[in-house]
Amino acid sequence: MSTSTPKPQPEIRAAPRTWKSRGRLLGMPISVLAIWAALYIAASAVPALPVPGMAGMITINAIMTAISGMVLGPGAAIANAAGGIIAMILYPYGFSAGPLGFLTVTMGGLVAGLLFANKWVLAGILEILIIGSWFVNPQSWQTGMWLVPLPYSLIALLVIFIKPLRDWVRTSILTLHKVWLWPAVFLMCCVGHAGEFMMTNTMVNWMFNLSWQYWVPTLPYWIMVDTVIIVVSTFVGVGVLIGLRKARLPQYADWLEK
Amino acid sequence: MEPIIQFNSVTYSYPRTDVPAIRDISFEVDAGEFVALIGPTGAGKSTLCYCFNGSVPQLFSGAMTGTVEVAGCNTYQDEIPVLAQHVGLVVQNARTQLFNVTVLQEVGFGCENLGLPRNVILERVQAALAFVGLSGHEEREPSALSGGQQQRVAIACVLAMDPDVLVLDEPTSELDPIGSEQVMEVIARMNSELGKTIFLVTHDMEFVAKYATRTLVLSDHRLIKDGPPEEIFSNNALLDEARIRPPQVCEVSLGLRKRGYLIPHIPLTMNEAVSTIKGLNHA
Amino acid sequence: MIGISSGARRTPLNGLDGRTKLIALLTIFILALVFSSPYYILGLLALVLTTWAIARLPWKLIKDILKFFLIIAVIILVVQIFFYPGETNLFRLSGPIGFIGFSGYITLEGIMFGIAMVLRLVVIMIVAPLLVLTTPLPEFMLALVKLKVPYRFAFIMTTALSLLPSIQSHSAIIQQAQLCRGITDFETGRLLTKLRTTAGLLVPLILGTFRDSQTLDVAMSSRAFGAPVKRTFLLESHFCPTDYIILILAILFLLGGVALRVLGYGTL
């Protein structure tokens, strides 16, 4: 390659762009959101784990939801919702809550996305609302029902509200720290996944009135399923984050540099 | 007459890279010209295409110096939707640039965004589809079309917005010979019948030799040559430097010249080549 | 599973405005949640099935959808029959089993409530396909836009759907590549291995598809996406008399249903 550099010239700043904001939603290019939504639909076609009782199965879109916040920020909510609406019609077996199933994946993406964009107050309010809506149902005051939201929602609350932990998670992910990236992505996946599954639990509980005799005995299984999903999501999330940074997508760069 | 395209020492690097994707590019194109851009993969051809409608630098952040003016618009000052009415850009991958559910919606998409009245849009869509030879396919799904048809739909999409300049980035790279031929024929007719200025990036040297009035050669992110196709294809050193394989007719003549035959003028078409070689026999 | 893509089927419901169908769907969905009496929900189910018949949709589709919900239906039924706090004891099964909260009696209310919940599940699960199979996607999108859903959101939905085939072929290519390297447990293999290979498939798929976003972005903006003018829509939709009738009926149903519920009807 030729080594001579071009003549130095003043760099010209582009005029403000009104259309650019129109091409974006919550800071993400619409093209990226559409592509995520398409991936989301594709992932909803792949069953991963059977679910005792709950409608159908858990598909690998659970992984997509868990990592969406880190990849897209708050825009994840929009991409997940758009993908979710179509996916639940094409592949209904992955959605326990029927026509409102897309709300669950929206919530997962929204809470994690807001947290990742450092809008932790909003993320916290949403997380509390999600957990709160579980306890609003009188069913949830039966024996042992308080255990259901506990495992991962508790971690989510801790990550959202403890400042040093929150900052450490965000910086480790943003700087792609060699070692701390893994636990940080794990915690972020906990937030994303907790948002989704608590919303699902709440809605299923409201719609079908399942009592503690269903929830409590199946709890160990749920914890196992959630752990598996979060662990797999961590692997996928780390791979995707590193890969995206290496790919240097020009229109995606703005978001990463923030 | 004012040239319709003016590149004035344009240098651009993508965000978070130090190496410019294109360096110090300057050239001018007059209205109605048919310009072909050739060069090896990775030379920055696609990036150069993105400069025409302001995608570089408006859509992709990164550092750009120099100016680009197309049809009286400045790609810094004028926003992409404004530029889109003057420059039609067909990107390389036909499949991702078709994202509507029917061909009708696809071709009408640009005009819909411009807020044109409905009947005007329908007229333009019909005209554009007729021009690319796809009338009657309005209700089909773009993803169900063949590669060549998809590429022609992509051309119809920008044609419907009635731009002055059409920039096409390797429109035939993924097509079979028949599909390529049909697409190239449409491109040539846009130049000859509609008088559009064409800026075409391609690896199809036969086509360059056949239709282009002018050829630019991009190598290592720089413009290394600007001239008529016959001049480019008869310059052995240049072809080697830019790793370009000339059309087979030129290759034959260049080979003959290397062996000591006197060929003053390198032929570009089969007929020319036949008469040149026949001339050799007589001599 | 259910092929929607662009051209849902041509059915008698195609003539209706997308908005009408969307509102009717929401009405049925809300009413299914409002009522908890099996008779009322059975009425809703009859309404949905009649519409299904009018639309001439294949019955097999209902079977296909419900197949996935068989287990939950059984569980819902069992949980309610055994544990619903009913009063009318039908027969005694055993002594009270305190630690699982079973009274020892099977109650009428428990059975009724169990049936009601299963019927609710069925209604909820088949009502959405009913809308989508009778509404081509562009019309659905237009309906959303006319109901004040932002155009950009509707755009994301249609674009996602039209990008789906290329993503699925992309994923098939990656699977082929992984098969060549001896990774064979997409279908067979234990659960954990399966998940591991899935992860190995997702990363290249996501990254590869994200690369396309650049082309998509350029293609969208080259076609004036986001131009600061009011967008035209090629598709038009107008309410026809049937639309008004259905809309009025839907609203009456909704108000009537809620009123009944407030008055104490429609529950157990």
Side-chain angles (χ1 to χ4, degrees), chain A residues 51-54 56, chain C residues 66-76:
Chain A
V51 179
M54 277 240 193
Chain C
L66 292 183
K67 202 170 62 191
F68 289 102
F69 300 104
L70 190 64
I71 307 172
I72 172 103
V74 171
I75 289 185
I76 290 175

Side-chain angles (χ1 to χ4, degrees), chain B residues 59-81:
Chain B
L59 200 56
F60 305 150
S61 45
M64 171 162 162
T65 58
T67 54
V68 180
E69 274 174 39
V70 183
C73 297
N74 181 309
T75 58
Y76 284 113
Q77 261 82 49
D78 295 296
E79 305 200 332
I80 295 185

Side-chain angles (χ1 to χ4, degrees), chain A residues 104-183:
Chain A
T104 66
V105 298
T106 308
M107 276 302 169
L110 192 56
V111 175
L114 286 171
L115 177 62
F116 193 59
N118 211 12
K119 303 213 165 78
W120 64 275
V121 180
L122 276 174
I125 292 172
L126 275 174
E127 186 66 37
I128 290 172
L129 278 178
I130 294 172
I131 301 173
S133 63
W134 170 263
F135 286 107
V136 169
N137 190 332
Q139 288 270 347
S140 306
W141 294 93
Q142 297 172 348
T143 328
M145 289 285 266
W146 58 275
L147 282 167
V148 176
L150 205 57
Y152 287 107
S153 296
L154 194 64
I155 296 181
L157 284 176
L158 294 179
V159 177
I160 293 173
F161 286 106
I162 299 180
K163 187 174 185 321
L165 186 60
R166 182 174 73 227
D167 291 344
W168 172 78
V169 166
R170 288 189 64 246
T171 14
S172 304
I173 295 178
L174 282 171
T175 56
L176 295 184
H177 191 283
K178 272 209 179 71
V179 182
W180 302 133
L181 177 63
W182 290 84

Side-chain angles (χ1 to χ4, degrees), chain B residues 173-233:
Chain B
S173 59
E174 291 165 8
L175 303 183
D176 57 67
I178 296 171
S180 310
E181 191 52 49
Q182 288 169 333
V183 169
M184 287 302 191
E185 185 259 347
V186 167
I187 297 172
R189 279 199 296 123
M190 287 197 295
N191 181 248
S192 59
E193 290 175 20
L194 304 180
K196 307 280 183 200
T197 310
I198 306 284
F199 189 90
L200 170 76
V201 176
T202 185
H203 283 295
D204 187 341
M205 299 304 153
E206 261 83 24
F207 186 79
V208 174
K210 198 166 160 193
Y211 294 107
T213 52
R214 190 172 149 201
T215 309
L216 305 181
V217 183
L218 196 70
S219 177
D220 270 345
H221 318 292
R222 294 169 180 283
L223 208 54
I224 57 169
K225 185 74 189 167
D226 178 354
E230 51 270 25
E231 195 184 319
I232 309 268
F233 291 136

Side-chain angles (χ1 to χ4, degrees), chain B residues 108-129:
Chain B
F109 182 77
C111 300
E112 285 183 302
N113 287 329
L114 291 174
L116 299 177
R118 197 168 166 274
N119 51 345
V120 175
I121 299 180
L122 285 174
E123 262 169 41
R124 285 197 186 190
V125 171
Q126 296 304 341
L129 280 178

Side-chain angles (χ1 to χ4, degrees), chain C:
Chain C
M1 175 185 155
I2 306 164
I4 50 168
S5 65
S6 71
R9 298 140 200 266
R10 291 236 63 85
T11 69
L13 294 190
N14 273 99
L16 292 177
D17 191 286
R19 285 169 284 181
T20 315
K21 286 185 268 192
L22 203 59
I23 289 168
L25 170 134
L26 280 178
T27 306
I28 292 177
F29 183 70
I30 293 171
L31 287 180
L33 293 182
V34 162
F35 295 132
S36 55
S37 145
Y39 304 117
Y40 283 73
I41 303 180
L42 198 61
L44 284 176
L45 181 61
L47 187 65
V48 174
L49 291 182
T50 315
T51 324
W52 196 280
I54 294 174
R56 295 205 206 95
L57 293 171
W59 298 105
K60 189 178 164 294
L61 225 53
I62 296 186
K63 210 182 84 194
D64 284 349
I65 298 167
L66 292 183
K67 202 170 62 191
F68 289 102
F69 300 104
L70 190 64
I71 307 172
I72 172 103
V74 171
I75 289 185
I76 290 175
L77 201 59
V78 169
V79 167
Q80 305 303 353
I81 288 176
F82 281 87
F83 303 116
Y84 188 81
E87 280 151 11
T88 327
N89 293 343
L90 287 181
F91 57 89
R92 190 183 154 92
L93 208 64
S94 67
I97 310 173
F99 75 98
I100 58 163
F102 177 49
S103 64
Y105 288 96
I106 300 293
T107 62
L108 179 67
E109 288 83 0
I111 292 175
M112 294 301 265
F113 194 72
I115 293 173
M117 290 301 109
V118 171
L119 288 174
R120 179 184 282 178
L121 176 77
V122 174
V123 171
I124 287 175
M125 291 303 162
I126 64 175
V127 73
L130 184 59
L131 166 81
V132 176
L133 289 170
T134 58
T135 316
L137 195 74
E139 276 175 35
F140 183 60
M141 185 175 112
L142 187 66
L144 289 182
V145 172
K146 287 206 169 173
L147 289 169
K148 304 291 173 214
V149 172
Y151 167 69
R152 284 176 290 179
F153 182 75
F155 174 82
I156 290 175
M157 277 173 54
T158 48
T159 308
L161 193 60
S162 57
L163 291 176
L164 189 60
S166 91
I167 287 180
Q168 279 171 337
S169 67
H170 191 158
S171 116
I173 292 169
I174 298 173
Q175 283 199 14
Q176 286 286 326
Q178 291 183 331
L179 275 176
C180 293
R181 282 187 256 142
I183 301 168
T184 52
D185 17 50
F186 287 110
E187 301 298 329
T188 58
R190 309 236 333 255
L191 205 64
L192 285 178
T193 7
K194 216 161 125 186
L195 275 173
R196 215 186 52 215
T197 37
T198 307
L201 170 70
L202 262 184
V203 175
L205 184 63
I206 293 175
L207 293 176
T209 319
F210 258 61
R211 287 210 181 94
D212 289 347
S213 72
Q214 184 182 341
T215 323
L216 180 59
D217 225 1
V218 175
M220 276 163 55
S221 52
S222 327
R223 279 148 72 190
F225 186 88
V229 289
K230 195 173 179 300
R231 196 175 188 280
T232 315
F233 286 90
L234 264 186
L235 266 180
E236 283 182 325
S237 77
H238 299 291
F239 280 142
C240 64
T242 330
D243 280 306
Y244 284 110
I245 295 171
I246 293 177
L247 267 183
I248 291 168
L249 280 179
I251 291 165
L252 285 179
F253 258 67
L254 188 61
L255 293 178
V258 173
L260 278 175
R261 181 70 170 75
V262 169
L263 294 173
Y265 296 97
T267 52
L268 277 184

